[in-house]
Amino acid sequence: MERILIIGSLGQIGSELVVALRKKYGNENVFATDIKNPGKELRKSGPFQILDVLDFKNLLHFIIRHHITQVYNLAAVLSGNAEKMPLQAWDINMKALMNTLEAARQSQAKKLFWPSSIAVFGPTTPRHNTPQLTVMEPNTVYGISKLAGERWGEYYNKRYGIDFRSVRYPGLISYKTEPGGGTTDYAVEIFFEAVTKGSYECFLSAKTALPMMFMEDAIRNTIKLMEVDGNRLSLRSAYNMAGISFTPKELADSIQKRMPEFKISYKPDFRQAIADSWPASIDDSVARNDWGLNIKFDLEKLVDVMLEKVTKKLKG
Ligand code: NAD
Ligand code: AKB
């Protein structure tokens, strides 16, 4: 029986991953943790405890005491916030990963999921259909920490046999929990402001294409990667994950088809430079071939669901 620890379980990804894993593995076998307090819904559905991943002793204790077999470590400072406090973000992101790798080495919890990001690529990377293996010279502190993290994950796999698994998530789009300070957050904010105000001022320019994915696709494929036979994995760093690529203008056009009165304006800020250094589209054929990555949501389906769910959430 698997016993699963989720670190950073109250964030954009964690809040949905906990629900999906509890459905599959049983409420009592999925331990949700974070440094903040949960809402009623999560607390009622299974075990929750405050746990700071930066506190190694407590983390190791928790894993041993609860007979944890696999860990999802989702705690990190995202790209936009990281640029506001580079040294602190580096410390947090690296320590959060190294503590879980070391805890895996020193305990029975040998299987570890830690997400990387399209931020591992930089301005010298081919921008379109970015290959799995290519030039990687990220110029953001978040991207540097993700690239270093991939290298450490692979190192712990080869050196100590840790079952490290990872994907380079694109920007994730969801309605349940607010995104945590990234460059792709505009693609969530736009839906909330379309419904509440009928307009949105975008912090990226109209033509900035980025890879994105609906959360349901991200969660389903993450669990699939964690469940697949490890012998099928040719990579122990992180797999490219493409999703769908679109610009703010294309997203706004799609919203306007359903809400003709919706208006968008553009006022790029410091996040424009981050977005300009990232790929516009990604080649994820290695993940498709190795473990069967598959995506169900295209732009039109995503906009339909987001508008419906955000409207329901905000207007009841
Ligand atoms: P988020 O910011 O929404 O959530 C992170 C959670 O971690 C928060 O609930 C926070 O309270 C918690 N946390 C922070 N410091 C902690 C600590 N010291 N100990 C324990 N918990 C702590 O982030 P997210 O969007 O859910 O992203 C999760 C992971 O996925 C991150 O590694 C992120 O880099 C990666 N990722 C996310 C996206 C995306 O679009 N959301 C894309 C690529 C990669
Ligand atoms: C961010 O914008 O920082 C994240 C990511 C793509 O890693 N959404």
Side-chain angles (χ1 to χ4, degrees):
M1 175 52 80
E2 296 292 349
R3 289 170 68 82
I4 301 173
L5 166 61
I6 305 181
I7 298 164
S9 68
L10 301 181
Q12 193 195 4
I13 300 175
S15 56
E16 304 211 24
L17 187 63
V18 169
V19 176
L21 286 172
R22 283 188 171 160
K23 238 183 225 159
K24 250 193 138 154
Y25 291 94
N27 289 352
E28 66 289 357
N29 295 316
V30 178
F31 295 78
T33 65
D34 205 295
I35 48 172
K36 53 191 187 196
N37 282 311
K40 243 198 256 150
E41 200 189 326
L42 189 130
R43 198 184 274 281
K44 266 200 315 199
S45 76
F48 176 87
Q49 198 166 306
I50 295 285
L51 181 68
D52 184 347
V53 70
L54 304 181
D55 179 346
F56 179 72
K57 233 167 123 186
N58 252 337
L59 172 67
L60 185 60
H61 254 135
F62 188 99
I63 288 175
I64 293 171
R65 192 169 68 246
H66 294 286
H67 309 287
I68 298 297
T69 57
Q70 47 177 280
V71 175
Y72 289 74
N73 175 11
L74 305 175
V77 181
L78 276 78
S79 60
N81 285 346
E83 288 309 302
K84 295 178 194 158
M85 43 170 203
L87 292 185
Q88 213 181 331
W90 172 260
D91 278 350
I92 294 171
N93 288 1
M94 294 318 296
K95 199 165 179 207
L97 171 64
M98 297 314 289
N99 280 356
T100 42
L101 284 169
E102 259 309 289
R105 191 177 72 80
Q106 295 182 34
S107 76
Q108 72 292 337
K110 298 293 183 212
K111 199 181 225 183
L112 171 61
F113 177 80
W114 168 89
S116 184
S117 159
I118 55 165
V120 291
F121 300 114
T124 51
T125 302
R127 242 178 93 64
H128 296 279
N129 211 24
T130 303
Q132 176 71 45
L133 288 176
T134 184
V135 179
M136 293 166 94
E137 296 182 319
N139 61 3
T140 62
V141 68
Y142 176 68
I144 299 169
S145 74
K146 288 296 184 190
L147 181 54
E150 289 188 10
R151 300 288 82 226
W152 275 109
E154 189 187 86
Y155 181 87
Y156 267 69
N157 172 259
K158 301 281 182 273
R159 177 92 197 250
Y160 303 117
I162 302 306
D163 191 355
F164 178 84
R165 303 183 183 204
S166 181
V167 290
R168 294 169 181 155
Y169 284 133
L172 300 181
I173 300 179
S174 64
Y175 53 87
K176 191 165 170 184
T177 305
E178 263 180 51
T183 303
T184 58
D185 293 12
Y186 91 83
V188 176
E189 286 172 11
I190 193 171
F191 288 101
F192 282 84
E193 301 215 0
V195 172
T196 49
K197 294 202 247 166
S199 65
Y200 179 60
E201 184 178 272
C202 184
F203 59 75
L204 296 182
S205 72
K207 289 188 177 158
T208 309
L210 287 170
M212 302 277 183
M213 183 179 285
F214 189 53
M215 188 62 83
E216 196 181 304
D217 276 332
I219 299 288
R220 184 170 28 78
N221 281 291
T222 299
I223 296 174
K224 190 171 194 183
L225 170 64
M226 283 296 270
E227 288 182 339
V228 82
D229 180 349
N231 293 323
R232 284 176 58 183
L233 305 180
S234 63
L235 285 175
R236 288 307 187 135
S237 51
Y239 283 93
N240 275 8
M241 217 186 198
I244 37 174
S245 286
F246 53 79
T247 64
K249 163 125 183 33
E250 285 162 343
L251 180 56
D253 286 348
S254 181
I255 293 173
Q256 272 159 352
K257 272 198 240 161
R258 291 142 178 99
M259 295 177 68
E261 71 290 1
F262 173 67
K263 295 215 166 15
I264 183 155
S265 56
Y266 300 94
K267 195 174 174 199
D269 67 12
F270 71 100
R271 288 166 283 192
Q272 184 65 47
I274 302 177
D276 287 341
S277 76
W278 290 355
S281 61
I282 303 253
D283 172 11
D284 60 14
S285 50
V286 182
R288 287 176 190 273
N289 292 334
D290 274 13
W291 52 273
L293 167 73
N294 75 69
I295 302 304
K296 294 187 176 163
F297 283 79
D298 60 14
L299 179 59
E300 296 306 316
K301 203 164 155 193
L302 180 149
V303 171
D304 276 339
V305 177
M306 282 299 288
L307 281 179
E308 183 203 325
K309 298 289 186 184
V310 170
T311 306
K312 203 163 162 193
K313 184 169 178 170
L314 294 174
K315 299 194 170 165

